[in-house]
Amino acid sequence: GARIHTLDGVPVWSPRKDGEVPEVALARAIADAKAEEEHRRLLYVALTRAQDRLLIAGHWTGREGGAGYDPRSWYALCLDAMIHLAPGQEPGVLRYGIERPSVPLADEPERAADVLPGWALRPVAEAASPARAFTAPTGLLAKSMPVNAPFGQGREARLKRGRMIHALLQYLPALPADDREGAGAAFLARDASLSDEQRAEMLGAALGVLNDPAMSAVFAPGGRPEAAIIGHSDLLPKGLVINGRVDRLVVTPDEVLVVDFKTDQPAPDSVEGVAPSYLLQMAAYWAVLREAWRDRRVSAALCWTDGPKLMPLPEALLLESLNRVRSEV
């Protein structure tokens, strides 16, 4: 098709492939190769970022009467991989990995009224007042409340350091302990802007947190990184719905632990030195989780990666932070 190419900084209009001079044909081929590379890179991003499942449809630029999908589409790439990973299975279904056991259906279907809980059959009562718009915990901050932000000299370096350490603490806990150092080093090596000293420091900070015995509860089974927390609580201003994401959430049969990693500054000497904005953020998450798990103990803590140091936040301090917000609304 028609396209504009750039040759040595000069734009060149090519109305069609037929009749292109070699220089323009080469420019078109390079542009197509870069587009294909980006197309596949985005598939890699989708495959590695999906939290629970990734659904890939068969249509991209499918042609009428064809297979229903383009041979260069994500669907074709994934199908080819599955054929190699899971050969010899029933037609139309390819499985790879551990298959979850299915629950057999009962011989006689039960009546809906016998299966559904009582609340599912009761008419929904009208809400006393409409809920407010969703807000992140930082939306609760009063104008007079200071926000700790890493401004000043070296800000960009500190922000990048924080992002890299957060990424390591997000993905490395899912690996066997013996594989974490190698995987973390390989991850950091892909960023050419980092020096060897920076990579070593970042990896050391992340592994220091993971290997610290005091952090065992943070990375216990039942933990999940980058967990979304959405909900309301009577401890929050009336009608307010919190919508946020916490660095780590650990749910066990007896306890729920919410943790936020702090990578941009050293830990204060005591919990009294924690910034009010940090306290309020964790208090909002803590309040919402208390509503969701009323039968379990809910705790909040900050993990300072420089140290490292795990700092549980007392319930009285969290309640004080929430009470201050409600009094200002």
Side-chain angles (χ1 to χ4, degrees), residues 22 24 49 54 61 64 123 155 160 172 181 189 197 210 249 253 267 278-279:
V24 175
R49 299 299 188 273
L54 175 64
T61 57
E64 184 177 353
R155 173 177 181 266
K160 181 160 190 174
L172 292 186
E181 183 172 0
E197 291 77 12
L210 292 173
L249 179 66
Y278 292 166
L279 281 178

Side-chain angles (χ1 to χ4, degrees), residues 3-70:
R3 195 179 298 180
I4 296 179
H5 303 283
T6 301
L7 300 179
D8 297 327
V10 178
V12 177
W13 167 252
S14 177
R16 52 186 297 175
K17 289 184 179 180
D18 298 344
E20 284 183 339
V21 298
E23 292 80 4
V24 175
L26 177 60
R28 179 188 290 272
I30 293 174
D32 289 343
K34 289 182 177 179
E36 182 75 10
E37 181 182 7
E38 176 66 9
H39 174 64
R40 291 175 179 243
R41 188 192 70 81
L42 292 176
L43 172 59
Y44 171 80
V45 172
L47 290 169
T48 55
R49 299 299 188 273
Q51 189 73 43
D52 297 306
R53 60 177 57 88
L54 175 64
L55 304 179
I56 299 179
H59 177 73
W60 181 39
T61 57
R63 297 167 179 82
E64 184 177 353
Y69 56 88
D70 189 279

Side-chain angles (χ1 to χ4, degrees), residues 236-260:
L236 295 167
K238 187 176 180 180
L240 185 66
V241 178
I242 291 295
N243 180 8
R245 189 172 295 274
V246 70
D247 289 334
R248 192 157 188 91
L249 179 66
V250 184
V251 179
T252 68
D254 302 316
E255 185 178 12
V256 176
L257 173 64
V258 57
V259 182
D260 202 55

Side-chain angles (χ1 to χ4, degrees), residues 59-240:
H59 177 73
W60 181 39
T61 57
R63 297 167 179 82
E64 184 177 353
Y69 56 88
D70 189 279
R72 296 177 296 127
S73 65
W74 287 9
Y75 184 88
L77 294 171
C78 293
L79 177 60
D80 181 63
M82 286 297 293
I83 290 173
H84 285 81
L85 290 172
Q89 300 190 30
E90 63 267 32
V93 179
L94 296 174
R95 292 187 178 92
Y96 178 74
I98 301 175
E99 183 178 355
R100 296 181 181 179
S102 59
V103 180
L105 297 175
D107 295 335
E108 294 292 333
E110 300 178 84
R111 295 188 306 113
D114 297 331
V115 178
L116 295 176
W119 58 262
L121 302 175
R122 290 195 299 268
V124 179
E126 293 186 8
S129 60
R132 293 187 190 180
F134 287 91
T135 183
T138 51
L140 297 172
L141 300 178
K143 293 182 179 179
S144 59
M145 184 177 293
V147 178
N148 281 34
F151 294 113
Q153 188 176 6
R155 173 177 181 266
E156 288 300 324
R158 286 194 298 271
L159 288 176
K160 181 160 190 174
R161 176 183 181 272
R163 288 194 300 268
M164 303 303 282
I165 295 177
H166 270 81
L168 292 171
L169 293 176
Q170 179 178 351
Y171 296 111
L172 292 186
L175 301 177
D178 293 340
D179 298 340
R180 291 172 180 171
E181 183 172 0
F187 169 75
L188 294 172
R190 292 185 299 191
D191 192 329
S193 67
L194 298 175
S195 66
D196 291 341
E197 291 77 12
Q198 288 174 316
R199 294 190 187 100
E201 190 277 330
M202 293 174 186
L203 183 58
L207 292 177
V209 173
L210 292 173
N211 297 333
D212 191 328
M215 306 292 175
S216 58
V218 176
F219 302 102
R224 182 170 184 171
E226 293 294 314
I229 298 180
I230 304 175
H232 175 67
S233 169
D234 291 339
L235 298 175
L236 295 167
K238 187 176 180 180
L240 185 66

